[in-house]
Amino acid sequence: MRLTNTALVAGTALLVLTLSGCEEGGGTGSDKPATGRTGTPAATPATGDDEVGTLADMTGKGLQSAQDQAQAAGFFALRSHDALGRGRAQALDRNWKVCGQTPGAGEHPTDVTVDFATVRLEEECPGKDQGAAEPETATTMPDFTGKSVKIARRSLDSSTSLTVTDASPQGRMILVESNWRVCTQDPAAGSALDGRPVALTAVKFDETC
């Protein structure tokens, strides 16, 4: 009886090992792919970065509509700027219209950044886009006359002490700097910027200095 029990136990152990090998995918009859850590990973699906789409001419459209149509065509990297060069943010897209775009209409990779030059609905588009380039930090005092206070501030080093006052006798506080244009400045244009404080006077864009 001992020999019989020993043989039975050995046979049962052999059967368990055989079934375990099949569950791990080692059997030739398995219809499941091997999932071991050392296996070669499956190919990654294409992300669409090389796709090309057709971008329409959005000139004259409302900014919100232009953005929606660009996205429908597969372009999702979108930005916009103030074509009048005042540095205003397009906080409510429906209040702005498109004057131009980069890149222009045509076929482009869908991962390209589309930049819309815009003005407010009640404004006329300028003959030339004045806000395409970001202002560079000046090493000498620029001529800020007629430019927005916001652009003037962005053109100065962040360490510059800047004072802006109302050029009119009303003594108003200048809160939204993109709505004000520079009338006078000190120091004068061309002067070295060596840490001297800068003083500007300004009025609103629909006013005269």
Side-chain angles (χ1 to χ4, degrees):
M1 290 296 291
R2 267 183 203 173
L3 292 176
T4 302
N5 288 339
T6 302
L8 180 61
V9 171
T12 303
L14 179 61
L15 179 61
V16 171
L17 289 173
T18 303
L19 292 175
S20 298
C22 291
E23 289 181 358
E24 291 296 327
T28 58
S30 174
D31 60 354
K32 296 181 181 180
T35 57
R37 294 176 184 270
T38 59
T40 302
T44 303
T47 61
D49 289 344
D50 296 327
E51 292 183 0
V52 173
T54 301
L55 183 66
D57 182 3
M58 305 296 182
T59 304
K61 298 181 183 293
L63 178 56
Q64 183 64 66
S65 296
Q67 292 175 335
D68 292 345
Q69 292 180 36
Q71 290 179 345
F75 298 89
F76 294 95
L78 307 176
R79 67 183 301 271
S80 60
H81 65 269
D82 183 356
L84 294 179
R86 291 168 53 179
R88 296 171 294 180
Q90 290 72 60
L92 189 58
D93 297 335
R94 290 177 176 82
N95 288 343
W96 295 76
K97 62 184 178 183
V98 177
C99 296
Q101 65 190 57
T102 303
E107 292 189 349
H108 305 283
T110 54
D111 60 352
V112 71
T113 298
V114 181
D115 187 7
F116 295 114
T118 64
V119 295
R120 294 185 65 85
L121 295 178
E122 67 273 13
E123 298 171 339
E124 296 292 330
C125 289
K128 180 181 179 181
D129 184 1
Q130 301 173 33
E134 286 291 321
E136 297 181 359
T137 302
T139 55
T140 59
M141 185 68 175
D143 183 1
F144 289 134
T145 305
K147 295 183 179 180
S148 79
V149 173
K150 182 175 182 178
I151 293 298
R153 184 182 294 278
R154 287 166 56 182
S155 300
L156 297 170
D157 186 271
S158 58
S159 63
T160 303
S161 298
L162 176 63
T163 303
V164 187
T165 56
D166 185 359
S168 78
Q170 301 178 52
R172 297 165 294 183
M173 294 184 64
I174 299 174
L175 300 177
V176 183
E177 294 182 337
S178 60
N179 290 339
W180 293 72
R181 62 185 179 92
V182 177
C183 291
T184 64
Q185 62 184 61
D186 182 36
S191 302
L193 287 174
D194 53 0
R196 293 174 56 190
V198 173
L200 307 176
T201 65
V203 293
K204 291 187 176 181
F205 267 91
D206 57 353
E207 301 172 345
T208 58
C209 290

